[in-house]
Amino acid sequence: MLKSLARGALSFLAAVAVHAVTQPAAAEEVVLFAPHRAVYEVTLSSTTPGSGVAGLSGRMVYELSGSACEGYTQNMRFVTRMTNQEGIETINDLRTSSWEELAGKRLRFSSAQYQNDEISEASQGDAARDKSTASASVELVKPGKKRVSLPSGVYFPMQHASALITSAKRGQKLFSANLYDGSEKGDKYYETTAVIGKKSNPGANTTAVALKEAARLAALESWPMSISYFELGKEKQDLAPAYELAFRYFENGVTSDLKIDYGEFAIKGELKDLTFLEASKCTGGAH
């Protein structure tokens, strides 16, 4: 269950990644989003008797910084207080940080999961893409030194987010891709299928009317999206996804109306605070 919460949170991080389109077919398809800091209030949306989850509340803070020429850094902290059927509380604290070079050439990542202030899982590594084959390899440092090979065409988080928004702008309704974000032990990727809903034109969406930046969001296009995550090799055994992530995606990179459905229980995240940040100045190269 703790791993499910961590996976869902990291998938959310991938979904809200600020990015530029990797290989645009036309100049107008290049989308650059604004660096920002967003705070989400997390609550339990639904639960089943066998889930072991009687209550859940928490907060997620996401921050993006950087620039198009230097790459983007993403930081997230996701803290929840979970109560089981016996009334026992557990505090889960997920901390992640990543930097990704544009066009998906390189990804550096680090994540740590704490349970009641004791670390329970960690991953850290550096992924790089081969220029000739488009495949990628990962040099893991945590939980142990290990080299992992990824297949050709696998997406890094920003690439994946880029493809989602590009597909939405083109009017596509489905997008499938393999996704690697370095989560859990950093040695596997997921197969994903995204469903993109009907576009809301500027002024049509009032999701974040209480925010100080509501007017800026209201002037943008947005789309409801849902992404199903499948573990490799389990499609024939079980067609149900490991979990599903849904959200509203604004064209400037802000995400609202978060929901993560794990089957036995689901959580939702309401955007409570939003601050736009200045993009860092280009000083001559990536990290």
Side-chain angles (χ1 to χ4, degrees):
M1 184 181 302
L2 299 179
K3 287 186 178 181
S4 296
L5 281 171
R7 273 294 324 168
L10 285 168
S11 299
F12 171 71
L13 176 63
V16 302
V18 175
H19 53 273
V21 174
T22 306
Q23 294 179 330
E28 64 271 19
E29 294 180 5
V30 175
V31 181
L32 298 177
F33 294 100
H36 64 279
R37 182 179 186 270
V39 179
Y40 302 83
E41 182 179 293
V42 179
T43 57
L44 184 65
S45 176
S46 63
T47 185
T48 62
S51 69
V53 180
L56 185 146
S57 62
R59 173 171 288 197
M60 182 187 298
V61 180
Y62 167 81
E63 182 173 307
L64 178 128
S65 60
S67 64
C69 57
E70 294 188 344
Y72 289 100
T73 296
Q74 302 177 85
N75 291 295
M76 183 182 70
R77 189 170 182 185
F78 180 38
V79 180
T80 60
R81 183 184 299 272
M82 183 186 297
T83 306
N84 65 15
Q85 303 293 344
E86 288 73 40
I88 300 174
E89 291 186 343
T90 302
I91 297 177
N92 302 303
D93 185 352
L94 174 65
R95 308 171 189 180
T96 71
S97 180
S98 68
W99 172 82
E100 188 172 335
E101 188 177 7
L102 292 185
K105 296 177 181 178
R106 189 177 177 188
L107 169 68
R108 289 206 305 258
F109 59 88
S110 176
S111 70
Q113 174 78 32
Y114 294 83
Q115 182 180 350
N116 294 333
D117 294 326
E118 294 185 3
I119 191 165
S120 59
E121 189 170 84
S123 67
Q124 181 179 342
D126 194 328
R129 194 177 302 278
D130 186 284
K131 295 181 180 179
S132 59
T133 65
S135 61
S137 60
V138 185
E139 296 294 338
L140 288 174
V141 177
K142 295 179 181 179
K145 290 187 177 181
K146 182 179 180 181
R147 184 179 179 88
V148 178
S149 296
L150 300 174
S152 176
V154 70
Y155 282 72
F156 293 161
M158 291 185 189
Q159 280 187 301
H160 186 242
S162 173
L164 286 177
I165 202 69
T166 303
S167 297
K169 285 184 171 292
R170 291 175 178 172
Q172 295 174 215
K173 301 302 180 184
L174 294 173
F175 180 77
S176 297
N178 294 330
L179 174 63
Y180 177 83
D181 59 14
S183 60
E184 296 186 39
K185 296 182 179 180
D187 58 359
K188 68 178 181 179
Y189 60 94
Y190 275 73
E191 294 183 348
T192 69
T193 298
V195 178
I196 304 170
K198 183 179 179 180
K199 178 181 70 176
S200 289
N201 291 317
N205 188 273
T206 58
T207 298
V209 291
L211 296 174
K212 62 182 179 181
E213 299 289 358
R216 185 167 176 176
L217 288 182
L220 301 172
E221 295 179 347
S222 65
W223 300 263
M225 299 188 186
S226 63
I227 309 175
S228 298
Y229 291 77
F230 298 89
E231 294 188 20
L232 296 178
K234 293 190 176 182
E235 299 86 351
K236 296 180 180 180
Q237 304 171 25
D238 187 359
L239 295 179
Y243 58 92
E244 294 180 306
L245 171 68
F247 52 93
R248 174 165 293 279
Y249 202 2
F250 290 86
E251 61 179 318
N252 68 343
V254 174
T255 300
S256 67
D257 302 335
L258 167 68
K259 184 176 181 180
I260 308 174
D261 190 341
Y262 302 101
E264 293 185 336
F265 71 101
I267 63 175
K268 61 181 180 180
E270 182 180 355
L271 181 59
K272 286 294 188 178
D273 187 66
L274 175 65
T275 303
F276 288 106
L277 309 172
E278 291 186 12
S280 62
K281 296 181 180 180
C282 298
T283 58
H287 294 197

